[in-house]
Amino acid sequence: MKLLVTFFRWLVGPSMTTLIEDLHVRLLNDWIQTPAPAFIHPHCIWKLDDGHVCIGIHQGRDFFENYQRRIDSTFPEWYEVVSEVIGSPIGGIVIGKYQFQREKNGLWYSAPFTHFYRIQKGQIVSGYYYMGEVSRHLSRCRPTTYFPTYGTLPSLN
């Protein structure tokens, strides 16, 4: 039976979800190599967390170019080193490190980052930029209830 199921999966091919995830990874890889405005939706929402030069929520296709210019003016040399691109049915996650110099001929620093992208119809519709890495090792069972509150609730008896 197991061989029959394996044969049918091979015959049918990968699931639609896997194909969409692969498509999102390919789109993000292309965008990282050449960040052209065509990849970004005109009403794209950008949310930047602490540590970035433009903290806050921004909107529009032009924001990314302004963000790049602001980093260029803040740091004389900087690079975005991508270590992993993870696809999902709704977008993708880019994990890597910023490597930068604070002053010319100064020391090099690095800061890990995680970018979350939502993709619709082949365009990025939102981007969330966080400094730091996101753990891929989540605990098996996360408590859904905070148990100490039960000690403070009055008894119904």
Side-chain angles (χ1 to χ4, degrees), residues 131-142:
M131 296 299 276
E133 294 178 0
V134 174
S135 174
R136 286 178 265 156
H137 304 287
L138 300 175
S139 61
R140 282 187 177 184
C141 60
R142 294 175 48 200

Side-chain angles (χ1 to χ4, degrees), residues 9 21 24 30 33 40 44 50-51 65-66 74 86-87 97 109 120-121 124-125 140 145:
R9 285 189 180 158
E21 290 173 3
H24 288 167
D30 291 344
Q33 289 178 1
I40 303 170
C44 183
D50 293 338
E65 290 178 18
N66 295 335
T74 305
I86 304 167
K97 289 186 178 187
Y109 298 92
Q120 291 179 351
K121 297 180 183 177
I124 298 170
V125 295
R140 282 187 177 184
T145 311

Side-chain angles (χ1 to χ4, degrees), residues 107-122:
L107 298 174
W108 281 88
Y109 298 92
S110 68
F113 69 80
T114 305
H115 297 170
F116 297 92
Y117 295 99
R118 188 170 186 87
I119 299 171
Q120 291 179 351
K121 297 180 183 177

Side-chain angles (χ1 to χ4, degrees), residues 33-84:
Q33 289 178 1
T34 314
F39 288 110
I40 303 170
H41 189 273
H43 302 290
C44 183
I45 304 286
W46 301 93
K47 295 182 182 179
L48 281 72
D49 201 21
D50 293 338
H52 291 280
V53 292
C54 305
I55 298 171
I57 300 172
H58 310 277
Q59 184 176 5
R61 181 181 279 169
D62 298 334
F63 170 73
F64 187 75
E65 290 178 18
N66 295 335
Y67 174 69
Q68 295 285 329
R69 274 188 249 129
R70 189 120 180 238
I71 291 176
D72 287 341
S73 67
T74 305
F75 302 106
E77 286 195 49
W78 69 277
Y79 303 99
E80 193 174 272
V81 180
V82 175
S83 60
E84 191 171 3

